[in-house]
Amino acid sequence: MIVYKTEDELRRMRESAAIVGTILKELRPLVKAGARTLDLDAYAERRTRELGAKPAFKGYRGYPATLCVSVNEEIIHGIPSSRALRDGDVVSVDFGVVYGGFYGDAARTYAVGEVTAAARNLIGTAEASFRRGVEQMAEGNRVSDISAAVQACVEAQGFGVIRSFVGHGIGRALHEDPQVPNFGLPGRGPKIRRGLVLAIEPMIAAGDWEVEILADGWTAVTRDRSLAAHFEETVAVTKRGAEILSAEDGSGTPAGSPKEQPHA
Ligand code: MF3
Ligand code: CO
């Protein structure tokens, strides 16, 4: 069952998602050679609690951390560890919070130092395909119009779209209906209408789309060990159209966070 949000609920979701966007923005300069993935996790957890929110992933089905940090052939659900990032790594950071009863969820993929041109294209295509998807998130369209647009963008670059993980509705639960695959034929699935909030999240691979789960029970890697990238935002259909609630400009940043403080 899809839970469409009221204007008041959308206001509250803007606040949760803005916390996600704010902290992801702060993480960006910390993703550099020598940083350990658990350092990023500790930073994100501390800032989440400072802003009065709770990590969404920690404890979710037993997941042990605040962030998912997935390096190179890791697609999603990489568990932060003492692994230090190295020049040339492709690093996906996925992060969610719950604040005032509502979840926000977003992911970015960063290049550490100098990466290959192919890696840069992969990272750019993950974001570009997300934007193609959002263009389809318009009243009257159907959910699979998003899926088809993402797939077309990714495959036009010769990359693979991961099949075994999907985007999702989001609200009072991290994962709500509907599922939002990143592939499929257009014109199928539920109609998009006002109050729909989705986490749209293309996961893509430089090679094939088959996935393996590592022995830790979480980390999803490409079976062919090709590089992967992930881009995700929490997006709502409002009276102004599709609105990216987790954008890093912090349009919905709640009071008490740095954006509201006067300059020194
Ligand atoms: N960010 C993931 C998603 O988009 C959720 C992470 S699952 C967790 O659905 F178990 F790692 F928390
Ligand atoms: Co998600």
Side-chain angles (χ1 to χ4, degrees), residues 94 105 168 174-175 199 201 232:
D94 190 351
D105 184 9
H168 49 94
L174 176 60
H175 295 136
E201 50 177 321
E232 174 179 26

Side-chain angles (χ1 to χ4, degrees), residues 1-21:
M1 184 200 58
I2 297 176
V3 183
Y4 295 90
K5 278 73 181 176
T6 64
E7 283 295 320
D8 183 58
E9 289 167 331
L10 289 172
R11 267 192 288 282
R12 295 166 66 181
M13 288 205 72
R14 253 182 221 110
E15 297 195 342
S16 329
I19 291 172
V20 175

